[in-house]
Amino acid sequence: MADATISAPAAATDHHDDHPPTTTGMSNTKLAMWLFLGSECLLFGALISTYILNKSRLPEGELGPEDVFDIPFTSVSSFVLLMSSLTMVLAVSNITRGDLERFRIWVATTAILGGAFVASQVYEFTVFYEEGLGYTTNIFSSSFFTLTGFHGAHVIIGIIMLMSLLVLSNQGRLGQQNAETVEIVGLYWHFVDIVWIVIFTLIYLFP
């Protein structure tokens, strides 16, 4: 029975480039992820545009972004999410080199940082609600909660992916030969982080 967690030096070349020849030079799985992320760019672009348009139509006296945003708090949670991109890079690097122990540490750290970001977003939403800003309060709140909630759902999906990688690795079903799978999950995770940078810049820093 073949050992799924290849550690022999001879396996060093058996990594993410090992896929059938394609016209694009990359595996069909990775290409599919890039196409998916491209479609997600259009979706988030539409949501951000809708938010900016609706915010400008907010009637005078209505509860708006300047009344509820806590920039220092959101800056910290944004920094936590950005650091998760660094730990994701380390996870991909370690599984590519066949260091599964460190891979598990970094992939778990990435999931924990992502979980901390989601928890901070839930806390933020709770504070906003207590201050009188619900989903249907006005066009600003509807656009804001839809956009940031949709992004938060993407982070949760990413965490599920990371935990699945961790479980598979612990079961010996994910090794160096599956580095491309980890890399593809990393692409998704970096995309989620980049989208948040755009949201934080456009929505929070320039309300």
Side-chain angles (χ1 to χ4, degrees):
M1 180 178 177
D3 185 358
T5 58
I6 299 172
S7 58
T13 58
D14 186 16
H15 51 72
H16 59 287
D17 290 332
D18 186 18
H19 58 76
T22 62
T23 56
T24 60
M26 68 175 69
S27 70
N28 292 329
T29 308
K30 187 183 289 186
L31 178 61
M33 175 56 80
W34 277 114
L35 292 175
F36 169 73
L37 296 181
S39 67
E40 289 283 279
C41 285
L42 297 177
L43 188 55
F44 274 105
L47 289 174
I48 292 173
S49 300
T50 301
Y51 169 85
I52 293 175
L53 180 64
N54 286 340
K55 185 192 65 174
S56 65
R57 296 165 51 201
L58 187 65
E60 196 72 28
E62 290 273 348
L63 204 58
E66 296 87 353
D67 304 310
V68 294
F69 283 174
D70 184 348
I71 300 302
F73 176 80
T74 311
S75 298
V76 172
S77 62
S78 300
F79 179 76
V80 169
L81 188 62
L82 290 180
M83 286 300 98
S84 71
S85 263
L86 174 61
T87 57
M88 188 70 229
V89 169
L90 294 172
V92 173
S93 173
N94 278 286
I95 196 169
T96 302
R97 290 188 287 105
D99 190 340
L100 298 183
E101 189 64 32
R102 290 187 178 180
F103 160 72
R104 295 185 190 108
I105 292 173
W106 289 121
V107 81
T109 303
T110 305
I112 290 171
L113 292 175
F117 174 80
V118 172
S120 71
Q121 198 168 40
V122 170
Y123 171 77
E124 183 182 52
F125 286 0
T126 303
V127 171
F128 289 176
Y129 183 77
E130 290 175 348
E131 292 180 357
L133 189 73
Y135 184 79
T136 58
T137 300
N138 53 42
I139 55 176
F140 154 69
S141 65
S142 299
S143 304
F144 172 79
F145 283 120
T146 299
L147 172 59
T148 55
F150 192 65
H151 176 268
H154 278 68
V155 177
I156 292 172
I157 292 171
I159 293 171
I160 293 172
M161 290 180 179
L162 294 170
M163 294 308 297
S164 298
L165 294 178
L166 187 61
V167 170
L168 289 172
S169 178
N170 284 329
Q171 292 176 344
R173 297 163 59 191
L174 187 82
Q176 186 180 13
Q177 73 277 16
N178 305 115
E180 186 184 77
T181 300
V182 179
E183 185 181 352
I184 291 171
V185 173
L187 284 176
Y188 176 87
W189 191 259
H190 295 315
F191 170 78
V192 169
D193 282 5
I194 291 171
V195 168
W196 181 253
I197 292 173
V198 175
I199 292 175
F200 179 68
T201 302
L202 296 179
I203 307 304
Y204 285 86
L205 297 184
F206 299 100

